[in-house]
Amino acid sequence: MTHIKLNTQHVAPFMSEHEYEEVRPLIAMADQELRQGTGVGAEYSDWLTLPSDYDRAEFKKIQEAAKKIQSDSKILVVIGIGGSYLGAKMAYEFLHPSFNNELAADQQAGVKVYFAGNSLSSTYLTDLIRVIADQDFSVNVISKSGTTTEPSVAFRIFKQLLEKKYGTEGAKKRIYATTDASRGALYEESQEAGYETFVIPNGIGGRFSVLTAVGLLPIAASGGDIEQLMAGAKAAQDDYSQPNLDDNDAYRYAAIRRTLYDKGFTTELLITWEPSMRYLAEWWKQLMGESEGKNHKGIYPSSANFSTDLHSLGQYIQDGRRDLFETVIRLDNPQADLDLPKMADNRDGLQYLEDMTVNDINVTAANGVALAHVDGGVPNIAVHIPKQDAYTLGYMIYFFELAVAISGYSFAINPFNQPGVEDYKKAMFALLGKPGYEAETKAYRARLDQ
């Protein structure tokens, strides 16, 4: 039995059984391209076997660095953008209490973690500096090249803060660089300065990198159990190794997505019912959008957190254009639950709920919303997870990574590149006046002046 369960009950009204048979050859072809390495972009598919063949020496080094950070710091500032921060941010939110950074130190499993370098907001950076104040902190800068604008700007600022607080030599002992194994600006600086370094594997792209040092060091420093995280991913690798559509829920999920897309359902909403899963949705959106959105193809990924967003997006989902479907993360056992207090009067109209817990109400609301949305023409896929722990998270990460790889190949695109990202960078660099972009600078500025 698999650790997470795919419930397709509310897909049945939109997809006949014979359609599984019709899509089966397409999924089989995608499986062959992925497993045999014959598909485009195969050189970036090392994540496929990562849970079983990760570098144990590097893993131990990560654990030791996490202990050092916990021993000399109250805060870890993680600097990165895209896949260099979303996985760690997602895990931090998923594994820890909602207000973890506000808890007393003795109630936290590890250090407080804050994220920078994922925007160009001067206000955000200023606010974070004020939060750090006089507390001891370390920095984990994550960049393959070391020249990506957003993290490079943030790293300059926080490196200067470290040097001002601890001196040049002291600062070097508090900087942890996760970068390329042998080249790039950050690699070169790390070698010259003596920063402790960790490797971003060449065969794993950023959005698939959460189970490498990119995600593991911040997760471990925060007190997350990275051994259980990898164990969950390994279990998923084993459980989803069979290509048969009937025995592989990750493949079945990919098949359903592809079939719904062909029917005109071109937008997928990842729905969560726990605020602590908001960044799970953000990580998922990058994974899906950057993997599939190519050659004017692919499912557009969006998200909503219920019941909150039912009061803002609910009307559109229920009654707007019928081109969207939902994948809902259903948590079977919450981290905590509360009884609804009993009141003598019924002024708020909640007396009929007094025999239920708050989670009972949440689960019942989720069931009702699913039925209403299906009745309104919105296909609904449910992914049931047993609880919010590291093992489950590792398992779910692998589930979605495998599903999008299969789905991407079914669209006849390369699921592992991101050519569109380079286009926006070219325009941004040109307008910023970066050397080497002089011709583009003139052209873009002329367009802005029109």
Side-chain angles (χ1 to χ4, degrees):
M1 294 180 64
T2 57
H3 186 67
I4 64 177
K5 309 296 179 188
L6 189 70
N7 186 332
T8 59
Q9 172 189 359
H10 296 312
V11 178
F14 307 91
M15 183 174 169
S16 302
E17 276 300 318
H18 69 82
E19 291 178 279
Y20 282 105
E21 298 307 315
E22 291 166 0
V23 77
R24 194 181 295 272
L26 193 61
I27 300 302
M29 178 198 69
D31 168 82
Q32 186 176 39
E33 289 186 299
L34 179 64
R35 303 284 181 183
Q36 296 184 14
T38 58
V40 288
E43 64 273 22
Y44 290 104
S45 61
D46 287 356
W47 56 270
L48 187 63
T49 58
L50 179 67
S52 59
D53 63 12
Y54 63 90
D55 187 332
R56 266 62 178 180
E58 175 95 341
F59 190 85
K60 183 178 180 181
K61 184 180 167 188
I62 289 169
Q63 292 176 307
E64 291 170 350
K67 289 178 181 177
K68 179 180 179 297
I69 293 168
Q70 291 168 352
S71 71
D72 65 16
S73 300
K74 298 295 184 183
I75 290 172
L76 175 65
V77 178
V78 178
I79 297 175
I81 195 168
S84 293
Y85 100 99
L86 276 172
K89 175 71 170 174
M90 171 260 292
Y92 189 71
E93 299 277 328
F94 188 93
L95 296 175
H96 297 299
S98 297
F99 305 102
N100 191 62
N101 282 349
E102 280 69 50
L103 294 174
D106 61 357
Q107 295 182 322
Q108 296 174 338
V111 298
K112 299 176 182 179
V113 178
Y114 293 97
F115 295 85
N118 48 67
S119 75
L120 290 168
S121 169
S122 56
T123 302
Y124 179 93
L125 292 173
T126 301
D127 289 346
L128 179 52
I129 292 168
R130 291 173 63 191
V131 166
I132 293 172
D134 60 352
Q135 298 181 80
D136 287 317
F137 75 102
S138 295
V139 166
N140 177 205
V141 56
I142 306 168
S143 176
K144 186 81 167 173
S145 65
T147 58
T148 304
T149 306
E150 294 90 341
S152 295
V153 167
F155 184 45
R156 278 199 181 196
I157 291 167
F158 285 98
K159 181 170 67 171
Q160 183 183 64
L161 283 176
L162 284 171
E163 290 174 346
K164 183 177 180 181
K165 185 175 179 67
Y166 301 105
T168 302
E169 293 304 312
K172 291 176 181 179
K173 297 175 182 178
R174 291 175 174 270
I175 294 174
Y176 302 83
T178 307
T179 189
D180 191 89
S182 60
R183 59 183 179 179
L186 182 55
Y187 169 81
E188 292 172 1
E189 179 178 345
S190 300
Q191 295 302 302
E192 291 171 7
Y195 306 151
E196 184 162 6
T197 59
F198 301 89
V199 174
I200 303 175
N202 287 328
I204 299 177
R207 59 188 175 276
F208 290 86
S209 67
V210 61
L211 298 178
T212 72
V214 170
L216 294 179
L217 179 57
I219 295 168
S222 76
D225 189 339
I226 61 174
E227 291 185 357
Q228 280 296 297
L229 189 74
M230 297 305 291
K234 173 61 166 61
Q237 179 186 338
D238 294 340
D239 288 346
Y240 301 133
S241 62
Q242 298 302 315
N244 188 346
L245 200 58
D246 301 320
D247 301 321
N248 190 321
D249 277 352
Y251 282 25
R252 195 152 63 98
Y253 174 53
I256 291 168
R257 296 176 76 249
R258 179 54 203 263
T259 302
L260 290 174
Y261 176 85
D262 288 341
K263 288 171 170 284
F265 296 101
T266 56
T267 296
E268 180 178 13
L269 291 165
L270 189 78
I271 305 299
T272 58
W273 282 83
E274 292 288 340
S276 57
M277 295 188 196
R278 287 183 186 273
Y279 267 86
L280 170 64
E282 296 302 312
W283 170 82
W284 176 89
K285 283 191 288 190
Q286 185 197 9
L287 179 69
M288 296 297 180
E290 207 167 71
S291 296
E292 288 187 334
K294 290 149 197 173
N295 304 339
H296 298 175
K297 302 177 185 179
I299 298 167
Y300 179 76
S302 189
S303 64
N305 183 257
F306 291 168
S307 64
T308 303
D309 291 335
L310 287 171
H311 296 262
S312 57
L313 297 176
Q315 173 61 39
Y316 190 95
I317 296 171
Q318 187 70 41
D319 206 27
R321 288 177 60 88
R322 299 299 79 187
D323 58 357
L324 54 88
F325 66 99
E326 294 173 315
T327 294
V328 186
I329 306 298
R330 298 293 301 266
L331 176 63
D332 293 337
N333 300 286
Q335 300 283 66
D337 202 358
L338 291 168
D339 291 324
L340 186 66
K342 291 179 168 56
M343 300 293 181
D345 62 61
N346 191 31
R347 189 171 299 170
D348 58 10
L350 295 181
Q351 209 164 60
Y352 75 106
L353 298 176
E354 287 183 350
D355 290 332
M356 303 177 76
T357 67
V358 174
N359 186 63
D360 290 336
I361 299 169
N362 199 38
V363 169
T364 305
N367 290 336
V369 168
L371 292 173
H373 286 182
V374 169
D375 289 346
V378 180
N380 191 287
I381 307 164
V383 177
H384 283 262
I385 63 174
K387 52 187 175 179
Q388 263 182 266
D389 61 7
Y391 185 93
T392 300
L393 182 59
Y395 198 103
M396 185 165 47
I397 287 168
Y398 193 88
F399 170 87
F400 282 122
E401 288 181 345
L402 181 60
V404 79
I406 294 296
S407 182
Y409 278 137
S410 80
F411 280 109
I413 54 96
N414 180 350
F416 307 121
N417 67 352
Q418 52 276 342
V421 174
E422 304 309 317
D423 292 338
Y424 95 77
K425 287 183 179 179
K426 181 173 70 173
M428 182 176 73
F429 290 154
L431 291 173
L432 287 171
K434 186 173 182 177
Y437 288 83
E438 288 79 8
E440 291 88 348
T441 298
K442 183 176 181 181
Y444 281 119
R445 287 180 177 170
R447 288 172 62 184
L448 288 177
D449 291 338
Q450 289 177 353

